[in-house]
Structure formats: C-alpha cells, structure tokens
C-alpha cells in the first residue's frame, strides 16, 4: 500500500466518522433549539425525520458518486436544517401575536395511560394563569336563589357577588415548570416565520 492509498483511506475514515457523529450532534442542536424556540409537534417530527430520509436517499440513489462525496452530502443534509431554521427565525420581521399572562398557581398531575405496549404514566406540567388584561378586573354576577313559597307564589332572592377572573391552564415543559412559578409573568409571542414555519418565543418575567 503506497502513501496515496493511505491518504485516501485516512480521508475516507475521517469523512465516515464525521457522518456517523453528525446525527448525534444534530439531535443535540435541535433539542437546544426547541428549548429556546417552540414549534408545533408536526413541525418537530418533520425536522427530525427529513435529514434521515434525505441521507438514506443519497446513500441508495448515488451509487456512481464516491464514498467521500456521499459522506459529505449526507453530513450537509443534517446541517442544512438548523441553518434553515436559524434563517427562518433571524430574518423574521413579522409582527408577532402576543399574549401576556400572570401565573397564579402551578400543578403537576400524573395521568395514567394504556396502549398496545402496556401501562405507563405521564406527568403534565401546567400553570394556572390569568390574562394580563383581566388581572385588575372584577366581574359582578347576579344569582337568583329560590325562596320559600308564600300564597302559592315563589319568591326569588337576588344576590350580587364579585368574582375574580377564572384562571386558564397552560402546559409547559419540566424545566420551565421547575424554574418559574406563582407570581411570575409570562409573555408568549407567536411569529409567522420567514418561510412560513410558525414559531413561538416565551418571555419569562420573574417577580421583583
């Protein structure tokens, strides 16, 4: 084996190692990406599966291409997606749909489920929140309570009660649940995305 063959083998092994480590790096990058910015579940599944499909297609349909070139193309198929997402967010200058809430309470109920694989439990992390525009509002409701009959007539007693807005329930991930709690403010901004891929950004404001 001459020096030229050794260099080709070394180069091939380097490209192969780069390709084999790329899926792991890609999963870590996307995991961190989804921790900062939130996408729909369907979008997340597509972003995870698309590079795998493209990589498999390159492997099976590019038999006339050298092994080194295949490894480079397969590696690029993974790194193009994070770059695409970064551009979709960084150059998205659309006006967001903003919602602001005040966290009144938190809970983590455990839900029991059954499927074909058996029995398992899921912990739902949730916040009880009130929309910011309704925080200082008090609703006055009228309640009519039947009184005793007198001379064949039913008398109603009317009561007026002041009620605070009823909290809404928002589901969050485990890290957010343990980091924030009662008395904090939450701003949720939803953007349309430069390429039409909608994404959401959470502004967490701790109480002072």
């Amino acid at each position: 084996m001459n020096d030229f063959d050794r260099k080709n083998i070394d180069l091939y092994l380097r490209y192969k190692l780069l390709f084999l480590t790329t899926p792991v790096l890609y999963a870590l990058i996307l995991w961190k990406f989804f921790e900062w910015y939130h996408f729909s579940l369907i979008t997340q599944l597509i972003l995870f599966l698309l590079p795998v499909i493209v990589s498999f297609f390159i492997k099976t349909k590019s038999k006339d291409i050298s092994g080194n070139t295949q490894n480079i193309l397969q590696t690029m198929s993974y790194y193009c997606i994070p770059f695409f997402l970064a551009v979709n967010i960084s150059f998205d200058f659309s006006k967001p749909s903003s919602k602001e809430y005040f966290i009144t309470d938190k809970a983590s109920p455990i839900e029991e489920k059954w499927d074909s694989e058996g029995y398992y439990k899921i912990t739902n992390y949730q916040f009880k929140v009130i929309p910011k525009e309704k925080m200082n509002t008090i609703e006055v409701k009228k309640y009519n309570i039947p009184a005793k009959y007198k001379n064949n007539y039913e008398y109603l007693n009317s009561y007026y009660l002041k009620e605070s807005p009823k909290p809404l329930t928002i589901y969050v991930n485990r890290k957010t649940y343990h980091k924030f709690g009662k008395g904090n403010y939450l701003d949720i901004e939803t953007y349309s995305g430069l390429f039409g891929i909608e994404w959401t950004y959470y502004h967490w404001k701790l109480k002072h």
Side-chain angles (χ1 to χ4, degrees), residues 186-203:
L186 165 63
D187 293 347
I188 303 177
E189 293 183 349
T190 302
Y191 294 80
S192 59
L194 179 64
F195 302 115
I197 301 178
E198 190 176 88
W199 58 282
T200 303
Y201 183 62
Y202 289 78
H203 295 276

PDB file of all heavy atoms in Angstrom, residues 186-203:
ATOM      1  N   LEU A 186     -45.714  35.879  32.337  1.00  0.00           N
ATOM      2  CA  LEU A 186     -45.401  35.089  31.150  1.00  0.00           C
ATOM      3  C   LEU A 186     -45.912  35.800  29.904  1.00  0.00           C
ATOM      4  O   LEU A 186     -47.099  36.107  29.805  1.00  0.00           O
ATOM      5  CB  LEU A 186     -46.050  33.704  31.268  1.00  0.00           C
ATOM      6  CG  LEU A 186     -46.134  32.863  29.994  1.00  0.00           C
ATOM      7  CD1 LEU A 186     -44.737  32.534  29.492  1.00  0.00           C
ATOM      8  CD2 LEU A 186     -46.916  31.592  30.246  1.00  0.00           C
ATOM      9  N   ASP A 187     -45.006  36.075  28.975  1.00  0.00           N
ATOM     10  CA  ASP A 187     -45.365  36.656  27.682  1.00  0.00           C
ATOM     11  C   ASP A 187     -45.098  35.622  26.597  1.00  0.00           C
ATOM     12  O   ASP A 187     -43.988  35.093  26.499  1.00  0.00           O
ATOM     13  CB  ASP A 187     -44.557  37.922  27.395  1.00  0.00           C
ATOM     14  CG  ASP A 187     -44.912  39.056  28.348  1.00  0.00           C
ATOM     15  OD1 ASP A 187     -45.934  38.924  29.040  1.00  0.00           O
ATOM     16  OD2 ASP A 187     -44.172  40.048  28.402  1.00  0.00           O
ATOM     17  N   ILE A 188     -46.097  35.330  25.777  1.00  0.00           N
ATOM     18  CA  ILE A 188     -45.970  34.355  24.690  1.00  0.00           C
ATOM     19  C   ILE A 188     -46.134  35.085  23.362  1.00  0.00           C
ATOM     20  O   ILE A 188     -47.177  35.684  23.107  1.00  0.00           O
ATOM     21  CB  ILE A 188     -47.020  33.240  24.815  1.00  0.00           C
ATOM     22  CG1 ILE A 188     -46.898  32.542  26.167  1.00  0.00           C
ATOM     23  CG2 ILE A 188     -46.866  32.233  23.683  1.00  0.00           C
ATOM     24  CD1 ILE A 188     -47.938  31.478  26.398  1.00  0.00           C
ATOM     25  N   GLU A 189     -45.097  35.031  22.528  1.00  0.00           N
ATOM     26  CA  GLU A 189     -45.137  35.681  21.221  1.00  0.00           C
ATOM     27  C   GLU A 189     -45.057  34.620  20.126  1.00  0.00           C
ATOM     28  O   GLU A 189     -44.134  33.805  20.113  1.00  0.00           O
ATOM     29  CB  GLU A 189     -43.980  36.670  21.070  1.00  0.00           C
ATOM     30  CG  GLU A 189     -44.082  37.867  22.003  1.00  0.00           C
ATOM     31  CD  GLU A 189     -42.964  38.863  21.792  1.00  0.00           C
ATOM     32  OE1 GLU A 189     -42.005  38.517  21.063  1.00  0.00           O
ATOM     33  OE2 GLU A 189     -43.037  39.967  22.348  1.00  0.00           O
ATOM     34  N   THR A 190     -46.011  34.639  19.208  1.00  0.00           N
ATOM     35  CA  THR A 190     -46.055  33.686  18.101  1.00  0.00           C
ATOM     36  C   THR A 190     -45.786  34.425  16.795  1.00  0.00           C
ATOM     37  O   THR A 190     -46.479  35.384  16.465  1.00  0.00           O
ATOM     38  CB  THR A 190     -47.422  32.984  18.035  1.00  0.00           C
ATOM     39  OG1 THR A 190     -47.672  32.326  19.283  1.00  0.00           O
ATOM     40  CG2 THR A 190     -47.446  31.955  16.920  1.00  0.00           C
ATOM     41  N   TYR A 191     -44.766  33.962  16.056  1.00  0.00           N
ATOM     42  CA  TYR A 191     -44.363  34.582  14.793  1.00  0.00           C
ATOM     43  C   TYR A 191     -44.734  33.671  13.623  1.00  0.00           C
ATOM     44  O   TYR A 191     -44.792  32.449  13.768  1.00  0.00           O
ATOM     45  CB  TYR A 191     -42.856  34.836  14.775  1.00  0.00           C
ATOM     46  CG  TYR A 191     -42.379  35.850  15.785  1.00  0.00           C
ATOM     47  CD1 TYR A 191     -42.190  35.495  17.119  1.00  0.00           C
ATOM     48  CD2 TYR A 191     -42.107  37.158  15.411  1.00  0.00           C
ATOM     49  CE1 TYR A 191     -41.745  36.424  18.054  1.00  0.00           C
ATOM     50  CE2 TYR A 191     -41.660  38.093  16.338  1.00  0.00           C
ATOM     51  CZ  TYR A 191     -41.480  37.719  17.654  1.00  0.00           C
ATOM     52  OH  TYR A 191     -41.043  38.638  18.577  1.00  0.00           O
ATOM     53  N   SER A 192     -44.942  34.281  12.454  1.00  0.00           N
ATOM     54  CA  SER A 192     -45.324  33.508  11.267  1.00  0.00           C
ATOM     55  C   SER A 192     -44.130  32.830  10.614  1.00  0.00           C
ATOM     56  O   SER A 192     -44.285  31.833   9.918  1.00  0.00           O
ATOM     57  CB  SER A 192     -46.018  34.419  10.247  1.00  0.00           C
ATOM     58  OG  SER A 192     -45.160  35.489   9.870  1.00  0.00           O
ATOM     59  N   GLY A 193     -42.905  33.337  10.822  1.00  0.00           N
ATOM     60  CA  GLY A 193     -41.706  32.736  10.242  1.00  0.00           C
ATOM     61  C   GLY A 193     -41.426  33.252   8.840  1.00  0.00           C
ATOM     62  O   GLY A 193     -42.352  33.502   8.057  1.00  0.00           O
ATOM     63  N   LEU A 194     -40.148  33.424   8.505  1.00  0.00           N
ATOM     64  CA  LEU A 194     -39.774  33.937   7.186  1.00  0.00           C
ATOM     65  C   LEU A 194     -40.231  33.005   6.074  1.00  0.00           C
ATOM     66  O   LEU A 194     -40.685  33.453   5.019  1.00  0.00           O
ATOM     67  CB  LEU A 194     -38.250  34.121   7.119  1.00  0.00           C
ATOM     68  CG  LEU A 194     -37.687  34.628   5.790  1.00  0.00           C
ATOM     69  CD1 LEU A 194     -38.202  36.031   5.489  1.00  0.00           C
ATOM     70  CD2 LEU A 194     -36.167  34.615   5.809  1.00  0.00           C
ATOM     71  N   PHE A 195     -40.137  31.688   6.300  1.00  0.00           N
ATOM     72  CA  PHE A 195     -40.534  30.700   5.294  1.00  0.00           C
ATOM     73  C   PHE A 195     -41.896  30.083   5.598  1.00  0.00           C
ATOM     74  O   PHE A 195     -42.235  29.025   5.072  1.00  0.00           O
ATOM     75  CB  PHE A 195     -39.478  29.592   5.201  1.00  0.00           C
ATOM     76  CG  PHE A 195     -38.107  30.092   4.852  1.00  0.00           C
ATOM     77  CD1 PHE A 195     -37.067  29.972   5.755  1.00  0.00           C
ATOM     78  CD2 PHE A 195     -37.865  30.698   3.630  1.00  0.00           C
ATOM     79  CE1 PHE A 195     -35.797  30.431   5.443  1.00  0.00           C
ATOM     80  CE2 PHE A 195     -36.599  31.165   3.309  1.00  0.00           C
ATOM     81  CZ  PHE A 195     -35.560  31.037   4.219  1.00  0.00           C
ATOM     82  N   GLY A 196     -42.653  30.724   6.481  1.00  0.00           N
ATOM     83  CA  GLY A 196     -43.985  30.220   6.804  1.00  0.00           C
ATOM     84  C   GLY A 196     -44.005  29.153   7.876  1.00  0.00           C
ATOM     85  O   GLY A 196     -45.053  28.557   8.127  1.00  0.00           O
ATOM     86  N   ILE A 197     -42.860  28.880   8.521  1.00  0.00           N
ATOM     87  CA  ILE A 197     -42.804  27.910   9.618  1.00  0.00           C
ATOM     88  C   ILE A 197     -43.026  28.668  10.925  1.00  0.00           C
ATOM     89  O   ILE A 197     -42.144  29.375  11.409  1.00  0.00           O
ATOM     90  CB  ILE A 197     -41.459  27.165   9.644  1.00  0.00           C
ATOM     91  CG1 ILE A 197     -41.239  26.428   8.322  1.00  0.00           C
ATOM     92  CG2 ILE A 197     -41.418  26.173  10.802  1.00  0.00           C
ATOM     93  CD1 ILE A 197     -39.914  25.706   8.240  1.00  0.00           C
ATOM     94  N   GLU A 198     -44.199  28.539  11.478  1.00  0.00           N
ATOM     95  CA  GLU A 198     -44.578  29.300  12.670  1.00  0.00           C
ATOM     96  C   GLU A 198     -43.762  28.865  13.883  1.00  0.00           C
ATOM     97  O   GLU A 198     -43.516  27.684  14.093  1.00  0.00           O
ATOM     98  CB  GLU A 198     -46.070  29.099  12.943  1.00  0.00           C
ATOM     99  CG  GLU A 198     -46.641  30.007  14.007  1.00  0.00           C
ATOM    100  CD  GLU A 198     -48.133  29.831  14.174  1.00  0.00           C
ATOM    101  OE1 GLU A 198     -48.538  28.960  14.969  1.00  0.00           O
ATOM    102  OE2 GLU A 198     -48.899  30.542  13.498  1.00  0.00           O
ATOM    103  N   TRP A 199     -43.326  29.841  14.682  1.00  0.00           N
ATOM    104  CA  TRP A 199     -42.560  29.537  15.882  1.00  0.00           C
ATOM    105  C   TRP A 199     -42.995  30.460  17.010  1.00  0.00           C
ATOM    106  O   TRP A 199     -43.535  31.535  16.787  1.00  0.00           O
ATOM    107  CB  TRP A 199     -41.059  29.676  15.616  1.00  0.00           C
ATOM    108  CG  TRP A 199     -40.626  31.037  15.140  1.00  0.00           C
ATOM    109  CD1 TRP A 199     -40.751  31.536  13.878  1.00  0.00           C
ATOM    110  CD2 TRP A 199     -40.009  32.067  15.920  1.00  0.00           C
ATOM    111  NE1 TRP A 199     -40.249  32.814  13.811  1.00  0.00           N
ATOM    112  CE2 TRP A 199     -39.782  33.168  15.050  1.00  0.00           C
ATOM    113  CE3 TRP A 199     -39.617  32.169  17.251  1.00  0.00           C
ATOM    114  CZ2 TRP A 199     -39.187  34.343  15.485  1.00  0.00           C
ATOM    115  CZ3 TRP A 199     -39.022  33.345  17.680  1.00  0.00           C
ATOM    116  CH2 TRP A 199     -38.814  34.412  16.798  1.00  0.00           C
ATOM    117  N   THR A 200     -42.777  29.995  18.237  1.00  0.00           N
ATOM    118  CA  THR A 200     -43.236  30.712  19.429  1.00  0.00           C
ATOM    119  C   THR A 200     -42.067  30.955  20.371  1.00  0.00           C
ATOM    120  O   THR A 200     -41.223  30.074  20.561  1.00  0.00           O
ATOM    121  CB  THR A 200     -44.327  29.907  20.158  1.00  0.00           C
ATOM    122  OG1 THR A 200     -45.400  29.646  19.251  1.00  0.00           O
ATOM    123  CG2 THR A 200     -44.866  30.690  21.348  1.00  0.00           C
ATOM    124  N   TYR A 201     -42.047  32.144  20.937  1.00  0.00           N
ATOM    125  CA  TYR A 201     -40.993  32.504  21.887  1.00  0.00           C
ATOM    126  C   TYR A 201     -41.632  32.902  23.210  1.00  0.00           C
ATOM    127  O   TYR A 201     -42.576  33.688  23.240  1.00  0.00           O
ATOM    128  CB  TYR A 201     -40.149  33.652  21.332  1.00  0.00           C
ATOM    129  CG  TYR A 201     -38.990  34.028  22.218  1.00  0.00           C
ATOM    130  CD1 TYR A 201     -37.978  33.116  22.487  1.00  0.00           C
ATOM    131  CD2 TYR A 201     -38.903  35.291  22.792  1.00  0.00           C
ATOM    132  CE1 TYR A 201     -36.910  33.451  23.304  1.00  0.00           C
ATOM    133  CE2 TYR A 201     -37.841  35.634  23.604  1.00  0.00           C
ATOM    134  CZ  TYR A 201     -36.849  34.710  23.853  1.00  0.00           C
ATOM    135  OH  TYR A 201     -35.805  35.046  24.672  1.00  0.00           O
ATOM    136  N   TYR A 202     -41.104  32.343  24.315  1.00  0.00           N
ATOM    137  CA  TYR A 202     -41.641  32.602  25.641  1.00  0.00           C
ATOM    138  C   TYR A 202     -40.746  33.604  26.368  1.00  0.00           C
ATOM    139  O   TYR A 202     -39.549  33.364  26.529  1.00  0.00           O
ATOM    140  CB  TYR A 202     -41.716  31.311  26.456  1.00  0.00           C
ATOM    141  CG  TYR A 202     -42.791  30.357  25.985  1.00  0.00           C
ATOM    142  CD1 TYR A 202     -42.598  29.567  24.862  1.00  0.00           C
ATOM    143  CD2 TYR A 202     -43.992  30.242  26.668  1.00  0.00           C
ATOM    144  CE1 TYR A 202     -43.580  28.691  24.425  1.00  0.00           C
ATOM    145  CE2 TYR A 202     -44.975  29.369  26.247  1.00  0.00           C
ATOM    146  CZ  TYR A 202     -44.757  28.596  25.126  1.00  0.00           C
ATOM    147  OH  TYR A 202     -45.729  27.732  24.697  1.00  0.00           O
ATOM    148  N   HIS A 203     -41.343  34.721  26.808  1.00  0.00           N
ATOM    149  CA  HIS A 203     -40.632  35.688  27.639  1.00  0.00           C
ATOM    150  C   HIS A 203     -41.062  35.453  29.081  1.00  0.00           C
ATOM    151  O   HIS A 203     -42.218  35.683  29.439  1.00  0.00           O
ATOM    152  CB  HIS A 203     -40.978  37.130  27.235  1.00  0.00           C
ATOM    153  CG  HIS A 203     -40.521  37.487  25.860  1.00  0.00           C
ATOM    154  ND1 HIS A 203     -39.253  37.915  25.575  1.00  0.00           N
ATOM    155  CD2 HIS A 203     -41.173  37.463  24.676  1.00  0.00           C
ATOM    156  CE1 HIS A 203     -39.137  38.163  24.288  1.00  0.00           C
ATOM    157  NE2 HIS A 203     -40.284  37.887  23.716  1.00  0.00           N
TER     158      HIS A 203
END
